[in-house]
Amino acid sequence: MPVKRGVALVVVGAIAFGVTYADHAPLIPLVAAEFGLDDVQSGLLSTALFLAYLATTVLLVGVIDRVGPKRSVGAGLVCASAGAALFAIAPSYPIALVGKALEGAGSAVAFVSATRYIAGLYGGRRSHFALGLYGAGFPLGTAIALVFLPTIATALGGWRAAIGVESTLIAACAIAWRWAPEVAHVPAAGDMRDAIRCRNCWLASVQHAAGFGLAIASGTWITVYLLREFSLPLALSGILGSLLLDLAVVARSVGGSLSLSRARSSWASASGSPTPRCSTRPRHRCPRRPPRRRASRRSAGPAV
Amino acid sequence: MIGAPAMGYAVQTFGFSSAWAFVGAIAALAFGATFLMRGEEELA
């Protein structure tokens, strides 16, 4: 039961962060009109978020690992809520960028920590499906932003009120996170330097950029596309645009499930046992099927 | 980080078709990269 509660709360957190990735996207026509932005400047709101995300991840990943996953995820939620609040009351475009950057920093603090948190929850067991659910939370949050924020903005009379509601909901998630179960600290098997030296990690980052990154970038513009090209109402454009992200929600969970099935079949063919137990700790890895060719270099692996 | 403003530039300069072409090009690049990646069982 604590495992399910922990996974549920970490997925709720992922949904909250997913909302911040695209909170401005369906409201671009309103935000751009108020601040006088062109399309590139509107796109830079996403850049502010992910640039802060990148800097925070590179600079603070070691600190985050020492602080522990539960406190880091909570701090990330508080930071994201504050960023959304700042965006909601921003008097100018630069302050809006700072608000978006704060959202990105909060998400970065929580992202790595949450994967470590799930590893701690599962202990020696494989956590692929839980990680898939966690990963699906982000596009789900982005889809929710596209569906509901235009409607809220229309109902409450503007984009600032919609972002204010979002900030309040993220703060509620931060409060709910207090009931997440404590987990044992699972140290990462490597650090950022190992990841930078790892060719496979770079290739995996290309997959992540094309999957998650393009989903967010496309999600930023899909509402505007439907609004401008087909003259649809803002709320309907958001709803139809969210379908783009809904596919990612399903695909991520299915991907986690497929990885788990494949790991089980590999284990069964190697050992005859259908129930693999392994740890993310380097000295307690699952015995694996002998590779067809020996790996030529050390890899940071999935723990980074 | 790069995709959203790049798509914004494509939209305001060439129109939405070029923005979606940008998305397709990155996706095709990533698909090609999958053939160079090693799977989990090869990383032990």
Side-chain angles (χ1 to χ4, degrees):
Chain A
M1 193 62 183
V3 172
K4 287 183 180 175
R5 187 170 79 245
V7 171
L9 285 170
V10 88
V11 170
V12 167
I15 293 170
F17 290 120
V19 171
T20 67
Y21 294 169
D23 53 6
H24 61 287
L27 306 174
I28 280 176
L30 306 177
V31 177
E34 181 166 334
F35 291 136
L37 308 179
D38 61 25
D39 289 339
V40 176
Q41 289 173 314
S42 299
L44 287 174
L45 289 166
S46 297
T47 303
L49 188 149
F50 287 107
L51 192 59
Y53 190 112
L54 176 69
T56 305
T57 302
V58 170
L59 297 175
L60 296 183
V61 69
V63 176
I64 292 166
D65 194 47
R66 284 195 293 275
V67 168
K70 187 177 174 185
R71 282 194 292 174
S72 296
V73 173
L77 285 165
V78 170
C79 190
S81 175
L86 183 60
F87 182 38
I89 61 171
S92 63
Y93 177 59
I95 302 297
L97 289 175
V98 173
K100 292 300 296 178
L102 207 50
E103 289 178 345
S107 182
V109 166
F111 182 79
V112 177
S113 310
T115 58
R116 310 308 306 154
Y117 181 81
I118 292 173
L121 272 179
Y122 277 72
R125 291 172 294 153
R126 285 189 176 267
S127 55
H128 292 65
F129 185 61
L131 285 170
L133 284 177
Y134 168 65
F138 291 93
L140 179 59
T142 303
I144 287 172
L146 296 186
V147 171
F148 291 108
L149 288 181
T151 307
I152 296 171
T154 304
L156 299 181
W159 66 271
R160 292 180 184 278
I163 302 294
V165 169
E166 173 204 356
S167 172
T168 306
L169 291 176
I170 297 172
C173 291
I175 294 169
W177 181 250
R178 291 169 56 88
W179 283 278
E182 297 286 346
V183 297
H185 179 56
V186 180
D191 60 21
M192 191 58 72
R193 288 166 298 180
D194 296 314
I196 289 170
R197 285 192 292 264
C198 168
R199 176 175 174 269
N200 219 54
C201 295
W202 285 102
L203 291 169
S205 76
V206 173
Q207 308 305 315
H208 196 58
F212 181 71
L214 283 185
I216 297 297
S218 302
T220 301
W221 288 107
I222 189 71
T223 305
V224 179
Y225 171 67
L226 294 170
L227 187 76
R228 285 187 193 166
E229 300 290 314
F230 301 100
S231 302
L232 298 180
L234 185 62
L236 180 60
S237 299
I239 291 169
L240 293 176
S242 73
L243 296 176
L244 183 83
L245 283 308
D246 294 339
L247 182 64
V249 175
V250 176
R252 282 202 161 184
S253 302
V254 170
S257 186
L258 284 175
S259 296
L260 184 57
S261 302
R262 182 172 168 76
R264 279 182 174 149
S265 73
S266 295
W267 173 271
S269 66
S271 69
S273 167
T275 55
R277 289 178 67 83
C278 64
S279 167
T280 53
R281 287 175 295 175
R283 292 183 182 178
H284 296 82
R285 288 192 187 283
C286 252
R288 297 175 193 274
R289 188 174 57 190
R292 284 187 290 275
R293 56 189 169 85
R294 182 173 292 278
S296 59
R297 71 189 75 178
R298 177 175 177 267
S299 166
V304 174
Chain B
M1 190 171 81
I2 298 167
M7 286 182 72
Y9 177 78
V11 168
Q12 73 179 31
T13 309
F14 306 107
F16 270 103
S17 299
S18 60
W20 301 128
F22 170 77
V23 171
I26 300 294
L29 176 70
F31 178 68
T34 59
F35 295 102
L36 303 175
M37 289 184 74
R38 287 183 295 172
E40 187 184 10
E41 69 276 9
E42 296 171 297
L43 288 170

